[in-house]
Amino acid sequence: MSKYDFNNAETYAIWLLHDKRCWICLEPLRLGECSVDHVIPESLLDSVDDLANVLQQYGLPNDFRINWFGNWLPSHVRCNQTKSNKIFEYVPGLKLILDRLAKKAEAVAKSARSISANVEKDKVFAKVFVALEKETISLDDLQEVFCELRHIDDVDTVVLEEEISIHFDPDRWTIASEGSGYVVVTDGRLGGIVPSGPSPHISWMCPTCRSYGPWNGVRCMSCGHMSDPHG
C-alpha cells in the first residue's frame, strides 16, 4: 500500500482548523513543523480483518475512511514518527476525538478545496510550503511571495504571511544584503539591520513603535527611538 500524499492545501487546512496544535503532544505547532497523522493508522488498509476489528472496537462504521479529514490530525514530525503505526488502546477520550473529527471533517475539506480551486492562491501556497520544507527561501523570495499574498488578500494569506514572518515593512525597506540571522535593509536614505527567520527574540523589538527596527547601532530607524536591541 502506498502512503497517502497530502497536498499543500490539505496540510494547511488540517493545521489551521485544528488549532495549530499537535494532537499527540498537545504543544503549539508551526506550519513548517506540521505533518499529518492518521488517528486510525493507514497501515490497517493492508489488513481487512485487523481494520474491521478496530472499527468495531471504536464503534466506527464499516465505511469509515482512513484517508479522509475525519481521520487526519496535525502533528509534529517527531511525534508522528514516534507514534508510527501504533494503534492506541481504546479509551473513550479517543472515540470522542474521532467523533469531533467526523463533525469537523467537511469544514476542513471545504477549506482545502477553496485553496485548491483558487489557482493563484494554490501557486503561492506551493511556494511557501517548498520554502518551509527546504528552509532555503531568501528574503528576496519572501518579498515576492508577500507581494502575491497582498494581491490575493484573504484570511488564509494573512495566516501564511504571519507564519513565514518578514520583520520589516517591505513597502518602505528593501534588502541590501543578508547575514547570519539578520538582513541589512535600506530605503535609499536610511538603513539598518533586522532579524531574519521566524520568531525573533523579543530584544529585537523596539519598545516605542513595536517594530523590529531596522536598527542602526542603538537607534530604531523606523521611529528614531534610542535603545539597545541586544541589551
Side-chain angles (χ1 to χ4, degrees):
M1 179 203 68
S2 60
K3 290 188 175 183
Y4 186 89
D5 186 18
F6 294 96
N7 64 40
N8 300 328
E10 289 169 339
T11 300
Y12 170 79
I14 292 164
W15 168 80
L16 180 68
L17 294 182
H18 290 295
D19 303 320
K20 308 178 190 176
R21 187 173 297 276
C22 174
W23 88 278
I24 298 172
C25 73
L26 306 181
E27 293 294 323
L29 178 65
R30 293 300 301 265
L31 182 58
E33 304 170 325
C34 182
S35 68
V36 179
D37 181 53
H38 294 75
V39 180
I40 303 298
E42 189 179 26
S43 59
L44 286 174
L45 291 173
D46 290 332
S47 174
V48 175
D49 291 340
D50 288 343
L51 176 58
N53 288 336
V54 170
L55 295 182
Q56 183 180 25
Q57 184 180 19
Y58 279 87
L60 297 170
N62 292 330
D63 61 353
F64 179 82
R65 295 167 66 181
I66 293 287
N67 277 314
W68 178 241
F69 293 94
N71 190 44
W72 293 335
L73 279 172
S75 69
H76 291 100
V77 173
R78 63 180 183 275
C79 294
N80 200 342
Q81 291 173 340
T82 299
K83 175 178 176 281
S84 187
N85 294 329
K86 293 175 186 173
I87 302 170
F88 288 134
E89 184 178 350
Y90 174 78
V91 292
L94 193 53
K95 178 59 165 62
L96 182 61
I97 288 173
L98 288 165
D99 289 344
R100 287 175 177 168
L101 265 177
K103 292 178 182 178
K104 209 168 186 177
E106 188 49 46
V108 184
K110 182 179 179 181
S111 174
R113 286 195 299 266
S114 73
I115 295 168
S116 299
N118 184 325
V119 175
E120 188 175 7
K121 185 159 74 171
D122 201 38
K123 287 179 180 178
V124 173
F125 268 65
K127 288 182 182 180
V128 170
F129 270 78
V130 168
L132 289 172
E133 181 179 345
K134 296 185 176 181
E135 297 183 347
T136 56
I137 196 165
S138 71
L139 268 285
D140 285 328
D141 294 331
L142 277 180
Q143 284 187 295
E144 180 182 340
V145 170
F146 289 138
C147 285
E148 296 179 57
L149 291 176
R150 282 192 293 274
H151 173 67
I152 297 169
D153 190 26
D154 69 1
V155 173
D156 291 326
T157 58
V158 170
V159 173
L160 272 191
E161 187 165 357
E162 290 174 349
E163 272 299 298
I164 54 180
S165 303
I166 194 165
H167 307 300
F168 58 89
D169 178 3
D171 292 328
R172 175 179 177 183
W173 306 99
T174 58
I175 299 164
S177 63
E178 297 188 39
S180 178
Y182 69 91
V183 289
V184 179
V185 298
T186 180
D187 64 359
R189 185 173 64 90
L190 302 174
I193 63 172
V194 293
S196 61
S199 304
H201 191 273
I202 190 66
S203 62
W204 278 97
M205 183 177 288
C206 175
T208 299
C209 69
R210 312 302 291 174
S211 73
Y212 288 101
W215 294 95
N216 190 329
V218 297
R219 183 185 296 276
C220 172
M221 302 310 291
S222 290
C223 69
H225 178 84
M226 297 288 285
S227 180
D228 184 355
H230 303 291

